[in-house]
């Protein structure tokens, strides 16, 4: 996985997190609204556009395949490799630390 793919995966992960939080926040507001119980389902969705748009966006992202791009362990491992490279170390996809030989300074 090259750095461009890693950056794209990280952007996809961040987008999914933002849309998920927006959907959860909108759902909370939708559920605690006393009007939601009194009106029809579609009217309640119409009264809560933030939740409706967030939910549609989240569903759209899954249909677009964001769940295939977002692999949190590989993103975390890639970030760890970047930091560990400065100390002549690395890690595998499971997080196991790999010590590299020190470069000989002459």
């Amino acid at each position: 996985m090259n750095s461009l793919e890693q950056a794209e995966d990280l952007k996809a992960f961040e987008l999914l997190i933002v849309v998920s939080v927006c959907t959860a926040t909108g759902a909370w507001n939708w559920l605690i609204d006393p009007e939601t119980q009194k009106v029809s389902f579609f009217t309640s969705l119409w009264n809560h556009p933030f939740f409706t748009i967030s939910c549609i966006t989240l569903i759209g992202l899954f249909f677009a395949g964001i769940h295939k791009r977002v692999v949190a362990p590989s993103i975390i491992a890639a970030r760890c490799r970047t930091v560990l490279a400065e100390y002549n170390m690395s890690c595998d996809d499971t997080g196991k630390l790999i010590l590299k030989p020190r470069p000989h300074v002459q």
Side-chain angles (χ1 to χ4, degrees):
M1 181 180 273
N2 65 33
S3 63
L4 181 60
E5 289 174 340
Q6 291 173 356
E8 290 175 2
D9 288 349
L10 183 60
K11 287 178 186 176
F13 181 73
E14 290 170 348
L15 177 63
L16 183 61
I17 292 296
V18 168
V19 174
S20 297
V21 168
C22 289
T23 303
T25 303
W28 176 256
N29 290 330
W30 180 58
L31 291 172
I32 65 170
D33 184 9
E35 290 294 316
T36 300
Q37 298 174 4
K38 299 175 185 174
V39 297
S40 71
F41 175 71
F42 291 109
T43 304
S44 68
L45 289 177
W46 184 259
N47 290 339
H48 296 275
F50 181 74
F51 169 67
T52 306
I53 292 168
S54 297
C55 194
I56 290 170
T57 303
L58 185 62
I59 292 168
L61 286 173
F62 276 102
F63 276 126
I66 198 166
H67 58 287
K68 295 176 185 174
R69 301 260 351 163
V70 176
V71 183
S74 68
I75 293 170
I76 294 169
R79 286 236 169 138
C80 289
R81 282 187 198 104
T82 303
V83 173
L84 290 172
E86 296 178 20
Y87 302 100
N88 278 352
M89 293 184 258
S90 186
C91 64
D92 61 11
D93 288 333
T94 63
K96 184 177 178 182
L97 187 63
I98 300 169
L99 299 174
K100 296 180 179 179
R102 290 184 180 187
H104 296 287
V105 179
Q106 296 179 359

